[in-house]
Amino acid sequence: MNIISHTVNEIQIGEVTSDELIIETAEDGLDLLGNLYYQGFDSIVIHEENIAPSFFDLKTGIAGEILQKFSNYRMRLAIIGDFEKYPGKSIRDFIFESNRSGRVNFLGSVGEGLERLSKM
C-alpha cells in the first residue's frame, strides 16, 4: 500500500494506492481510517479496485459500517471508480445520497476527488 500526499487549500488528503485489495471488511476500513488519521490526513482518496466487491453489495452491511466510522471520526472519503457497473437501485440510491451529504463521495477521477475533499 502506498500513500500519495496531496495538499489542496491547506487540507491534507491521502490518496491510497495498491495492487491489492485494501478494504475487505469493516475492520479494514477502520484500520485505514485510523492509519491515515494519525498520519495527519484530513481526508482519504481510495480507488474502487482496492475495495472488495462485497462493499458494493449493501446487504453485507460493510459499506454502511465503514461509512459510519468515517462519519464518526469526521474524516471525509472519496472513492474513485466507474460505478455504472452496479445496476441495483439500492446501490445507486446509496451513492447518490452519499455524494449529496459530502462525507463520502463516489467520483470518477482523482481530480474530482481532490476538488470535492478540498471544500470543507
Side-chain angles (χ1 to χ4, degrees):
M1 176 174 83
N2 297 309
I3 301 168
I4 301 168
S5 180
H6 301 275
T7 303
V8 184
N9 297 334
E10 299 182 24
I11 296 172
Q12 298 297 317
I13 303 169
E15 178 186 354
V16 181
T17 62
S18 179
D19 293 331
E20 301 175 355
L21 289 177
I22 296 170
I23 297 178
E24 295 185 66
T25 65
E27 291 79 22
D28 293 339
L30 183 58
D31 289 345
L32 179 68
L33 183 154
N35 184 349
L36 272 72
Y37 178 83
Y38 287 110
Q39 290 185 48
F41 290 101
D42 303 304
S43 299
I44 300 172
V45 171
I46 190 167
H47 299 267
E48 172 199 4
E49 63 263 16
N50 298 128
I51 302 173
S54 56
F55 175 92
F56 298 96
D57 178 1
L58 298 182
K59 293 177 201 156
T60 67
I62 296 171
E65 283 185 62
I66 290 173
L67 275 48
Q68 184 62 47
K69 297 293 184 193
F70 274 81
S71 182
N72 290 348
Y73 285 89
R74 300 183 193 276
M75 174 78 81
R76 296 181 69 204
L77 174 68
I79 300 173
I80 308 302
D82 176 12
F83 305 103
E84 294 298 316
K85 63 185 162 194
Y86 302 107
K89 181 177 178 356
S90 295
I91 188 67
R92 288 184 183 267
D93 290 347
F94 182 78
I95 289 171
F96 177 80
E97 289 300 322
S98 294
N99 285 349
R100 199 174 75 140
S101 75
R103 175 76 45 207
V104 176
N105 301 273
F106 294 83
L107 302 165
S109 72
V110 172
E112 287 178 288
L114 295 176
E115 181 180 337
R116 181 79 55 92
L117 295 175
S118 68
K119 298 175 181 173
M120 289 294 218

